[in-house]
Amino acid sequence: MHLLVGRIGTSELQTVDLDHGHIEDIRLEGNKGTIDTTTVSFLEFGNVIGILQGKPGSPRAASIQRWLNSCQIADHEVALWPVIANNVWEKLKKATAVHSFEFSYRPSPAIAPPDGEGLSSFVRFGDSRYPDHRITLKIEIPRKEGPGPVARLRGQRRLQGDIQSLMTELGYLEGPTGVDRARALVTLPDEDGDENDEPLDFIKHHITAKCRVEVSSVTGRPRYEANVSAIMQVAREKERDLKEAVSADQ
């Protein structure tokens, strides 16, 4: 199944005469306008979709999310967010220590935060107390000063679980809320048995791909058909990573 979502264009379009260098405005007759479209393809596993914008001004995931919810196609709110790569989840699970976590977002009054404990409870407080502000949470576990080794280890394990729980609920925060930071600093063992600190960026390491879309003027193939073909090709190439990420996320 596929979906074509469009936004009515508001800017004036212009043409250029390549022979003489003249620039002119496009004048449309009657009640006509321009539209910027985004192609959405629903994959066959894990509630995963592929989105390809026709132009920078075409509808983004946040706009598509709002439109789907306004149509009330489901009993619950629909949330769209990037699929986080499975290797980030694996590193979080294998971490022998979690030293810090920083999370920054803007609350959305249209989407209720999930119930939960740990970091989710802090996020719920921010949504209700500061609904129109950018909120940043930063938690650090002291390496030396402060609690003893037993208390420090207990705090690190609790933070490790809280991070995983919060990031699996990223859907209600992504999009209109503008999550722009979700980072953790962890210690990971290497192949030689040594341990090294490594940053994990949950926003940066999500599965995306660039692809070239060609529309043949000879066959007259519609652009949206070419977009669907490109999305499905990338989905096939990334199928293993997507399935592993969705499986880990659940």
Side-chain angles (χ1 to χ4, degrees):
M1 297 180 63
H2 312 284
L3 176 67
L4 193 65
V5 184
R7 175 185 285 120
I8 301 299
T10 57
S11 59
E12 296 182 354
L13 298 181
Q14 295 178 313
T15 61
V16 58
D17 186 327
L18 299 179
D19 293 327
H20 304 92
H22 296 162
I23 298 177
E24 298 179 350
D25 292 336
I26 294 180
R27 296 177 176 82
L28 300 177
E29 298 179 356
N31 188 24
K32 295 182 180 180
T34 61
I35 187 170
D36 299 329
T37 58
T38 295
T39 305
V40 182
S41 294
F42 296 81
L43 307 188
E44 297 179 353
F45 56 89
N47 287 337
V48 180
I49 65 172
I51 297 178
L52 194 154
Q53 290 179 266
K55 296 180 180 179
S58 301
R60 297 177 179 269
S63 299
I64 297 171
Q65 174 178 298
R66 288 194 294 269
W67 181 81
L68 289 172
N69 287 322
S70 69
C71 294
Q72 298 181 343
I73 63 172
D75 295 334
H76 303 284
E77 291 285 330
V78 175
L80 303 180
W81 70 94
V83 178
I84 300 174
N86 188 48
N87 66 329
V88 178
W89 291 116
E90 290 298 322
K91 288 181 178 180
L92 179 61
K93 292 178 181 178
K94 293 179 180 179
T96 57
V98 180
H99 305 289
S100 66
F101 179 66
E102 188 173 0
F103 185 80
S104 181
Y105 74 106
R106 290 183 183 275
S108 173
I111 305 177
D115 295 324
E117 300 178 351
L119 294 177
S120 296
S121 63
F122 286 99
V123 173
R124 288 184 63 85
F125 171 80
D127 281 9
S128 60
R129 189 71 176 256
Y130 305 102
D132 302 316
H133 298 76
R134 183 173 180 268
I135 298 173
T136 298
L137 302 174
K138 186 171 183 179
I139 299 177
E140 293 183 279
I141 307 295
R143 293 176 183 256
K144 296 180 180 180
E145 71 280 359
V150 176
R152 186 181 304 116
L153 179 61
R154 183 168 57 245
Q156 289 177 338
R157 292 308 180 195
R158 183 181 297 119
L159 181 58
Q160 187 175 24
D162 284 346
I163 293 173
Q164 184 163 351
S165 176
L166 178 64
M167 297 314 299
T168 57
E169 298 287 354
L170 182 62
Y172 89 95
L173 293 169
E174 184 61 19
T177 55
V179 175
D180 55 17
R181 183 173 300 175
R183 302 172 182 172
L185 179 64
V186 304
T187 296
L188 289 169
D190 59 21
E191 297 179 354
D192 298 327
D194 298 327
E195 293 186 337
N196 300 288
D197 290 347
E198 182 173 339
L200 301 182
D201 192 324
F202 293 91
I203 302 301
K204 181 179 179 180
H205 293 99
H206 56 260
I207 299 176
T208 59
K210 291 184 178 181
C211 60
R212 183 178 180 85
V213 181
E214 295 184 358
V215 181
S216 175
S217 59
V218 177
T219 60
R221 186 183 188 187
R223 180 177 298 276
Y224 60 83
E225 289 189 6
N227 290 349
V228 167
S229 178
I231 292 174
M232 301 309 292
Q233 178 181 345
V234 172
R236 288 190 296 269
E237 295 173 354
K238 301 287 185 178
E239 182 174 359
R240 180 177 178 180
D241 293 337
L242 288 169
K243 287 185 174 179
E244 287 182 352
V246 173
S247 176
D249 191 37
Q250 300 301 323

